[in-house]
Amino acid sequence: MKIARISLHRLAMPLVRPFETSFGTQTERDVLLVHVVTSDGVEGWGECVAGADPVYSSEYVSGCEHVIEHYLAPAVLAARDITAETLDARLRFVVGHRMAKAAVEAAVLDAQLRASGLSFGRYLGAARDEVDCGVSVGIAPSIDELLDEVSGYVAEGYRRIKLKIKPGWDLEPVGAVRALLGDGTLLQVDANTAYTLDDIDHLRELDAFGLLLIEQPFVEEDIAGHAVLAAAIDTPVCLDESITSAAVASDAIERDATSIVNVKPGRVGGYLESVRIHDVCLARDVPVWCGGMLETGLGRAANVALAALPGFTLPGDTSASKRYYADDLTEPFELVDGRLRVPTGPGTGVTVRTDLMAEWATRPPLLLR
Ligand code: OSB
Ligand code: MG
């Protein structure tokens, strides 16, 4: 396959409600889309999941746009023949920048699969036609408002609740939500690196709430600290930010720093590396689940396909479109019995609504050839 043209699109999409985590509050998504056109005129789309600011990871959307414009896109355009499978070798000269690479990979893979009539699900190895869904609930202004929000999601049918926590917003809200849900409902927490080794005794108090897991309590680089924590508490430790590749996943599992793994294609450099992480975990009986980055319908479509692989045994942060956006960028994903259907059409199986894209654009498209 020859990529003849690449365009980069930047749009602002308002969230239906502010999303607060230990690293800040977000009221809209600053979305970067990668569009590729092959020499045969086949199109592919990829979504970049980097945030507006480098606070979840070192990447941020303007940085991704820069590295794609100046390094990744020129390398793709210069290749006489390229596929999703050969892309990693082509782009290896750029160190890191995984979210930028993942967006390019998604666009190339989408075009490749559309050309061959294959869906993301079929290509990645989906074993199911629908996936169990959870929902990630931000830090709320008060416990009452948190309970209202959680009750709404429970009524919609979500199969697992995840609460964002930070020092000062942990035991009390988690206890209140556990009391609301009763013992039968899956409940987990995500600290987004807000704690340190000094907090181990405090984090042990979460054991009282029967949590499925605690996600990323310590900083990204601290695999050793997570191993210490995992040995000291009953709640399973699940790494998110720390898992940047299949090699790191394998190492973290080996060192007992994580007994469950959150897979996010953007964070690990793409869908192909995500499948490799899945395979590493499946071989060791480590459950994986698909994380989210407040994706539009475009990124969601591919994530839902990934979440249908056999090792994804826990509900993902793959929520319905309306949990994020009043209008989605593609046909909306709707929850049925707590599940989303895996798209079956070629490529991602969804269509980017270019009319809405133009309406939400924050600058004209950047055309590269
Ligand atoms: O840590 O999982 C996270 C959103 C943005 C950045 C990081 C995270 C999240 C979420 C939301 O928790 C997941 C989603 O619903 O897309
Ligand atoms: Mg997380």
Side-chain angles (χ1 to χ4, degrees):
M1 198 168 77
K2 164 80 190 154
I3 302 295
R5 283 181 285 138
I6 298 178
S7 55
L8 304 181
H9 304 257
R10 220 34 206 270
L11 31 139
M13 287 176 63
L15 292 168
V16 291
R17 49 157 39 107
F19 186 63
E20 183 176 341
T21 65
S22 61
F23 57 75
T25 303
Q26 212 178 324
T27 56
E28 62 170 29
R29 261 291 313 283
D30 183 343
V31 182
L32 170 65
L33 300 177
V34 179
H35 179 233
V36 301
V37 184
T38 71
S39 54
D40 294 329
V42 180
E43 298 178 47
W45 287 95
E47 173 174 350
C48 181
V49 301
D53 303 304
V55 289
Y56 162 80
S57 75
S58 64
E59 291 190 83
Y60 64 106
V61 67
S62 291
C64 290
E65 183 173 0
H66 188 278
V67 84
I68 294 172
E69 178 186 354
H70 296 283
Y71 297 95
L72 308 181
V76 170
L77 290 166
R80 255 187 298 125
D81 183 40
I82 197 120
T83 61
E85 296 80 16
T86 57
L87 193 64
D88 178 53
R90 273 272 162 197
L91 303 183
R92 202 171 291 156
F93 75 101
V94 171
V95 177
H97 293 284
R98 292 183 172 88
M99 290 181 183
K101 288 178 178 174
V104 173
E105 185 205 76
V108 169
L109 183 55
D110 188 36
Q112 181 177 329
L113 296 181
R114 282 176 194 271
S116 63
L118 209 61
S119 68
F120 259 66
R122 282 286 295 282
Y123 173 83
L124 297 174
R128 295 180 284 271
D129 51 20
E130 48 187 20
V131 300
D132 287 356
C133 297
V135 58
S136 175
V137 185
I139 292 164
S142 68
I143 304 265
D144 282 348
E145 283 159 277
L146 176 70
L147 296 179
D148 274 356
E149 188 178 344
V150 169
S151 304
Y153 294 138
V154 169
E156 286 175 41
Y158 284 103
R159 289 170 177 263
R160 179 275 275 150
I161 301 292
K162 155 169 147 182
L163 302 180
K164 292 292 188 178
I165 58 168
K166 65 176 182 182
W169 181 265
D170 47 29
L171 303 177
E172 209 192 328
V174 174
V177 170
R178 176 49 90 200
L180 173 82
L181 297 174
D183 286 341
T185 305
L186 298 180
L187 177 63
Q188 65 190 53
V189 295
D190 186 357
N192 287 113
T193 77
Y195 296 87
T196 71
L197 274 175
D198 294 338
D199 296 313
I200 288 188
D201 288 335
H202 180 69
L203 292 172
R204 190 181 298 108
E205 294 190 51
L206 288 169
D207 286 348
F209 305 119
L211 302 176
L212 181 59
L213 59 89
I214 177 170
E215 200 177 328
Q216 197 73 37
F218 306 154
V219 293
E220 180 178 323
E221 296 78 9
D222 195 8
I223 303 287
H226 285 101
V228 172
L229 177 68
I233 64 173
D234 291 336
T235 305
V237 173
C238 170
L239 294 178
D240 171 355
E241 283 88 332
S242 293
I243 306 296
T244 51
S245 68
V248 172
S250 173
D251 180 51
I253 292 165
E254 215 57 60
R255 293 159 71 183
D256 293 320
T258 194
S259 54
I260 298 174
V261 169
N262 167 322
V263 182
K264 285 183 186 169
R267 194 192 64 225
V268 305
Y271 287 89
L272 274 60
E273 188 70 4
S274 297
V275 172
R276 288 189 279 269
I277 293 177
H278 164 270
D279 295 347
V280 161
C281 292
L282 190 60
R284 295 170 201 208
D285 270 328
V286 170
V288 299
W289 56 282
C290 185
M293 293 291 284
L294 313 176
E295 284 89 346
T296 73
L298 178 63
R300 187 164 317 284
N303 285 355
V304 166
L306 178 70
L309 267 64
F312 284 78
T313 52
L314 298 173
D317 281 346
T318 45
S319 309
S321 294
K322 75 169 191 185
R323 182 260 171 269
Y324 310 94
Y325 306 107
D327 284 307
D328 208 336
L329 184 63
T330 64
E331 46 277 63
F333 280 83
E334 281 159 10
L335 206 66
V336 177
D337 196 19
R339 300 193 174 99
L340 292 184
R341 290 199 71 79
V342 180
T344 53
T348 58
V350 292
T351 306
V352 172
R353 296 168 66 183
T354 44
D355 53 327
L356 288 179
M357 194 178 76
E359 195 177 306
W360 294 328
T362 49
R363 56 141 184 75
L366 193 61
L367 308 174
L368 309 167
R369 55 171 72 226

